[in-house]
Amino acid sequence: MSSAENLVFHVRPGGCLSGTLRVPGDKSISHRSIMLGSLAEGTTRISGFLEGEDSLATLRAFRALGVDISGPEDGAVTIQGVGMHGLKTPTGPLELGNSGTSMRLLVGLLAGQGLELTLIGDSSLSGRPMRRVTDPLQRMGARVETTELGTAPLRIHPVESLKAIDYPLPVASAQIKSCLLLAGLYAEGTTRITEPAPTRDHTERMLSGFGYPVERTGASVSLEGGGTLTACDIDIPADISSAAFFLVGASIARGSDILLQHVGINPTRDGVINILRLMGADIEILNRRDVGGEPVADLRVRSAGLRGIRIPVDQVPLAIDEFPALFVAAACAEGETVLTGAEELRVKESDRIQVMADGLTALGVRATPTPDGIVIQGGQIHGGRVGSHGDHRIAMAFAMAALRAEGEILIDDCSNVNTSFPGFVRLAAAAGLAIEGEKEN
Ligand code: S3P
């Protein structure tokens, strides 16, 4: 779709959600499967890969770096690993679209490879902070440049070697942690990262799955540079961040009853379940199992009367991508919901505190942004038109709000839903949401 076209979601009010559904594969795990599979020795076979624009950006980047990757076809991808030192200089810059995970993890993975490279992204990604990764990489001896504003394009210059770092993370960020662990694979010595609060640990789990020794002690994770990765098979669970829209939709829409299949419920990602349950949601975790080192379950959700809460600060990093959906739950809850300790939301694909506050206000909900959170007073959602600011998760959250609205909700600028959730309109409509996507010029 050309960027001049505006994909608008039209969502009629009311209805409920029902049926059995499987949302697409986990975005974080999909990125990492391409990265580690490419650097491994041997053939890695992936199933359940997310065929969304973000993870496809990572896949295309590794093809440009000379890796033979076939697929994706129905979520199946096969990678002929080139080994730790087999990547080749691409013919042009690596184009990473809207994907912060691709850029922040790749700059670490590539910093010690002796290659000359440039990483670029779309206008949203080009406005996001990158010094959080380039500063510690420079301390490891990398030569990585940002713009004067500390943003992409990122230019990587070859260096002789990297040295390991012992780094306490200034913010709870899995992207910084993963960036430095991936750089640490190429560094002399032991790279140790200490987190101020637990963040998603898919990189650590997957490194172990590829046979790379990773040590966890308390809040620290460490690895020794100079090892190798051995190819393996990876079955990627459904993304809890995509399931979150249905967890909220089914909770708020009276008469709903859905079963979400094969959802990843890694304890560093399950904040959305914990927070919704504190609000009174009826979510059953069924058939818990372990799939390739990641916990997975089926989630049954039935509608329930929600109440406003103070969101526990320790749940914030565990639900960091789910707040747009949770704000819609708060708008439908009885009483006030207060979020604090979530300033990171201001530097996501959009400023998610401001953009959600503006949209909720446009729909008649009392939502007051604060520097590190928001206060939302539950009430009646009106119909209206809101902007998603090109942010996939804002678009999908407002689509679910229509289940409890009095009038139709129109949402602008929704094409980036494809970054994480291709087929959202079809799946949501099949479950009972009265949604259509229309292109406007
Ligand atoms: C991600 C980490 C989180 C999250 C992002 C994916 C990852 O970012 O918001 O969508 O895959 O490591 P931060 O590390 O910036 O919190």
Side-chain angles (χ1 to χ4, degrees), residues 28 32 101 104 173-175 200 320-321 348:
S28 293
R32 287 155 171 84
T101 308
R104 297 209 181 102
S173 161
Q175 290 181 351
R200 66 191 69 194
I320 195 66
D321 290 337
K348 294 295 178 188

Side-chain angles (χ1 to χ4, degrees), residues 80-95:
Q80 309 300 336
V82 296
M84 297 303 285
H85 299 282
L87 297 179
K88 306 226 161 57
T89 304
T91 50
L94 297 178
E95 163 61 83

Side-chain angles (χ1 to χ4, degrees), residues 26-29 31-32 100-101 104-105 128 132 171-178 199-200 202-203 241 269 317 320-321 344 347-349 352 392-393:
D26 187 280
K27 184 150 77 70
S28 293
I29 300 177
H31 284 298
R32 287 155 171 84
T101 308
R104 297 209 181 102
L105 270 57
R128 296 180 66 186
R132 52 177 57 197
V171 280
S173 161
Q175 290 181 351
I176 311 178
K177 172 178 66 172
S178 301
T199 67
R200 66 191 69 194
H202 306 301
T203 303
S241 298
R269 296 282 300 283
I320 195 66
D321 290 337
E344 275 294 297
V347 291
K348 294 295 178 188
E349 286 83 328
R352 287 184 173 159
H392 53 139
R393 300 200 197 282

Side-chain angles (χ1 to χ4, degrees), residues 357-365 382-386:
D358 291 347
L360 288 171
T361 304
L363 299 177
V365 176
H382 301 299
R385 188 161 190 148
V386 297

Side-chain angles (χ1 to χ4, degrees), residues 1-9 385 388 390 411-416 418 437-441:
M1 192 173 97
S2 86
S3 54
E5 273 178 348
N6 175 16
L7 176 64
V8 183
F9 284 173
R385 188 161 190 148
S388 77
I411 310 154
D412 279 314
D413 213 0
C414 293
S415 57
N416 276 342
N418 276 334
E438 282 181 22
K439 290 174 188 169
E440 287 181 8
N441 282 316

